[in-house]
Structures are given as C-alpha cells and as structure tokens.
Amino acid sequence: MLHLRLITPADRTDAVVRLIEATPGTAHLAVVPGAARNPAGDIVLCDVAREAGDELLDGLRSLEIDRHGSIALDSIDLSLSRRADKAEDEAPGEGADAVLWEQLTDATHEESTLSVTYVAFITLATMIAACGVVLDNAILIVGAMAVGPEFGPLAGFCTALVRRAPRLALRSLIALVTGFAVAMAATVAFSFFMDAVDLFHESALEAKRPNTNFIYRPDWFSFVVAVLAGVAGTLSLTSAKSGALVGVAISVTTVPAAANAAVAFSYGAYRQAWGSTEQLLLNLLGIVLAGTLTLLVQKALWARQRERTARKPGPA
C-alpha cells in the first residue's frame, strides 16, 4: 500500500474526494478542512494500493493539484487493516507489476543528475577497477562494479525515451558521458602515478590475465549479459525491489572496461584500449535497448490491464 498526502485548494477538494472514492483500491480517506497554511487549503489523506496509484496520480494531475497544491506519496511498510486488504483485492492487477511513472521519473531524475558525488563514485570505482585489471583480481573488479553509479543515468535515459522527456534524456546523457570521461581521465593520471611509484607495471597489463582478459575482448555474450542485466535492473526499479540492483551492477562490464581502457591508454596499448572501449559501448547499448523495451512492454501490458478493468461491469 501507498500513503497519499494532498494539499488541495478549497474549491477543488470535493472533486479530489470524488476522484479518490471512484478509484478502485483506495482506503482510509480523511479530509481536514482548512488545515494547510502554505499553500493554503485543505489536507486530504488516503491509502491506495500500488496497482491503483498511477491512475490516481494521473487524475490528480488532471485536476492540477500538483500546480495549485501538493501531492506527496510514501510507501507503507506495514498496514493492519481489513479495509486495506479489501482495497488491494479491488485494485486491478498485481502491485509488484505496477509502474508508478511519476515516481520512476522522479527517482531517475535524481539518480541521473551530474553531481560531485556521482563523479566521485564513478571515478573511485574506475580506479578500483584499474587496480583489479593490473593485479588480475576478480574480487576488485566485482567491488568496482558494485560501487559504480552508472545505472542511474542509464535508467534515466530509458525512462526519458519511453516518456518522451527530452530534458531528462539530455540530463542523463550528460551525466553518463561526463562521468565516464572524467573517471577515465582521472584513471589515466592515477595509472601514471602508480607506475611512477612502481605499483603498476606494463608487463602486468600485457600478461595473459585469465581472470580479467574478458574486459577487452567483447563478444556476443557481453551483449547478451548486458541485455539481461538491463531487463533485471529496470524491473528492480519499477517494482521497488532495489536489492536486485546490486546483482545488476556486478553483472555488466562497464566500469571495468573504462578502467582497462584508461590503463591501457596510459601505456600506449591502444589496441587493448580500443577493445575495452568497444566492450564499454556494447554494454551501454545493451542496457539502454533492454531497459527501454522493458518499460515499453510494461507500459503496454498495464494499459491493457486498465482497459480490461474499465470494461468490467460494476456491481449491480
């Protein structure tokens, strides 16, 4: 269940209440007239099943509550109520399958913003991966994958394509390109430093490296894994199962490929650097394609579910 908290202008409260009462899957409606001060208006509270949340949010935005008042939505971790159970039964579909598009857009907007923290994380992850490729240490590679924040802008770009939001697409693309560019440039400098203090050696980069040589040898398996990870990552975002994102992060060779390209470039191993760059681009392409197609399928399936529900006859 989700908890909805609204501030509504007094002249729109009745319309909001009618909308909530007419939406299947709502419960615990409460109205506190005149309680809001900034902006002035009434406070309306209710609980709504996740699978009914997107429809209700669309209705509230059509009443321009987001412009003249406020809409806030929180997840309810525990709800002990027979009325809540009944509301979830009345709502169409399953909560785990529902997509809250406004919540997804807001979340990806935040995750795809170019910030000092984002650049710091992706740079540190790339440097950790650089140590991993030189030492041929798979544990360091996995650790770097988990630290890397690049899935946020990728998810933001996919969401922007589906929702036709050019500003979000541009924001995500800037964060992605700038983040990798800064991280790779910093890792080149880091590689020069590590070589100067005799911790990195060109011979280690040119060795067979059985644990990490896949990073600069892209193949169809790389693309297939990226596609599968893109689907899993998108589903984890839309279903609020964020724990799956960790598994997605350590499945795709993005940050390690960027790190290997940077280290190889610092030693003039341009062929290996280009192979790593191909690996990076192939993985990014696979994630974007898979994420976008997953969102499109979810959007189509949920629209079909809502149409079927709308066609069902109401109680006599």
Side-chain angles (χ1 to χ4, degrees):
M1 293 290 286
L2 303 169
H3 180 65
L4 189 65
R5 184 178 70 255
L6 309 173
I7 296 178
T8 65
D11 60 344
R12 302 185 189 217
T13 301
D14 289 342
V16 168
V17 170
R18 286 194 296 270
L19 172 65
I20 293 173
E21 291 177 336
T23 302
T26 59
H28 311 144
L29 174 62
V31 180
V32 187
R37 294 291 180 268
N38 183 21
D42 304 329
I43 293 180
V44 179
L45 308 170
C46 78
D47 295 339
V48 56
R50 180 180 174 86
E51 52 268 42
D54 194 59
E55 180 181 359
L56 183 55
L57 288 175
D58 286 344
L60 291 170
R61 295 199 67 179
S62 69
L63 293 172
E64 297 187 333
I65 302 303
D66 56 322
R67 295 183 60 187
H68 302 288
S70 170
I71 303 174
L73 196 66
D74 298 311
S75 296
I76 300 176
D77 294 329
L78 176 64
S79 179
L80 303 177
S81 166
R82 289 185 179 180
R83 184 65 190 89
D85 295 339
K86 182 181 178 183
E88 289 188 321
D89 292 338
E90 292 173 350
E94 294 293 333
D97 298 331
V99 180
L100 295 175
W101 290 100
E102 293 296 337
Q103 186 183 56
L104 178 63
T105 301
D106 185 68
T108 53
H109 181 278
E110 181 179 351
E111 292 293 327
S112 61
T113 300
L114 183 63
S115 63
V116 174
T117 302
Y118 169 80
V119 173
F121 268 115
I122 196 168
T123 300
L124 290 170
T126 307
M127 289 180 176
I128 293 171
C131 296
V133 299
V134 171
L135 296 174
D136 194 31
N137 189 316
I139 295 176
L140 291 177
I141 296 297
V142 171
M145 290 175 173
V147 172
E150 73 279 6
F151 192 80
L154 289 169
F157 191 72
C158 295
T159 303
L161 292 179
V162 174
R163 302 213 71 187
R164 299 178 183 178
R167 293 183 63 182
L168 177 58
L170 181 60
R171 178 188 295 268
S172 303
L173 193 59
I174 289 174
L176 194 66
V177 174
T178 304
F180 271 114
V182 171
M184 293 174 73
T187 303
V188 169
F190 175 70
S191 181
F192 282 134
F193 170 77
M194 295 293 281
D195 182 77
V197 297
D198 204 33
L199 291 176
F200 277 13
H201 304 281
E202 185 176 4
S203 59
L205 190 71
E206 295 174 347
K208 292 184 178 181
R209 293 162 52 197
N211 294 320
T212 58
N213 60 20
F214 66 93
I215 293 172
Y216 57 90
R217 295 178 179 175
D219 54 25
W220 280 108
F221 276 108
S222 302
F223 184 74
V224 169
V225 171
V227 168
L228 296 176
V231 174
T234 303
L235 289 175
S236 72
L237 287 177
T238 57
S239 65
K241 296 186 181 297
S242 58
L245 278 177
V246 177
V248 172
I250 62 176
S251 299
V252 186
T253 315
T254 49
V255 165
N260 197 86
V263 175
F265 182 83
S266 71
Y267 282 115
Y270 300 121
R271 186 171 184 177
Q272 190 175 139
W274 176 244
S276 300
T277 303
E278 285 184 327
Q279 179 79 275
L280 173 62
L281 295 176
L282 191 65
N283 278 271
L284 294 177
L285 176 63
I287 292 174
V288 169
L289 287 176
T292 303
L293 289 174
T294 300
L295 289 175
L296 287 172
V297 170
Q298 287 182 292
K299 186 177 182 180
L301 290 176
W302 198 251
R304 188 175 178 183
Q305 174 66 46
R306 287 172 64 170
E307 288 177 4
R308 280 204 300 260
T309 303
R311 288 198 298 264
K312 286 183 181 179

